[in-house]
């Protein structure tokens, strides 16, 4: 079963410096499409926001989202299509 989900990722501080997107792509059997990304530095702290589309098995997507959250990334689902 192939799921197509759109998520908003928010990177704050150290999570903005890590290679979490690369790790998700290498670790989980899903496709990741970056729809929009923006990063900026405010008072020495890097913050960023990214909208991504995850394609693949629902369980693999859930594991990838949990991995992102455990890496300090705030994840919210923006829309779901099955």
């Amino acid at each position: 079963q192939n799921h197509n989900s759109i998520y908003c990722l928010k990177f704050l501080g150290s999570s903005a410096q890590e290679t979490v997107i690369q790790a998700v792509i290498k670790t989980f059997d899903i496709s990741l499409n970056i729809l929009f990304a923006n990063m900026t530095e405010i008072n020495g702290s890097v913050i960023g926001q990214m909208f991504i589309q995850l394609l693949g098995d629902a369980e693999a997507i859930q594991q990838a989202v949990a991995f992102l959250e455990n890496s300090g990334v705030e994840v919210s689902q923006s829309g779901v299509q099955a």
Side-chain angles (χ1 to χ4, degrees):
Q1 192 172 8
N2 194 33
H3 286 269
N4 170 355
S5 301
I6 297 174
Y7 292 88
C8 176
L9 309 181
K10 292 183 181 174
F11 300 86
L12 303 171
S14 63
S15 68
Q17 309 290 332
E18 301 296 324
T19 58
V20 293
I21 298 300
Q22 179 186 9
V24 166
I25 293 168
K26 290 179 80 170
T27 305
F28 302 97
D29 186 24
I30 59 173
S31 294
L32 187 150
N33 184 28
I34 298 173
L35 304 174
F36 171 82
N38 185 33
M39 298 190 89
T40 190
E41 186 176 329
I42 298 175
N43 293 333
S45 294
V46 177
I47 59 171
Q49 184 173 347
M50 180 181 291
F51 285 89
I52 61 169
Q53 178 182 37
L54 296 176
L55 300 152
D57 179 73
E59 185 175 332
I61 288 174
Q62 288 176 347
Q63 292 172 348
V65 168
F67 175 86
L68 287 166
E69 291 173 336
N70 290 335
S71 299
V73 179
E74 183 181 318
V75 181
S76 59
Q77 198 162 6
S78 296
V80 179
Q81 299 171 359

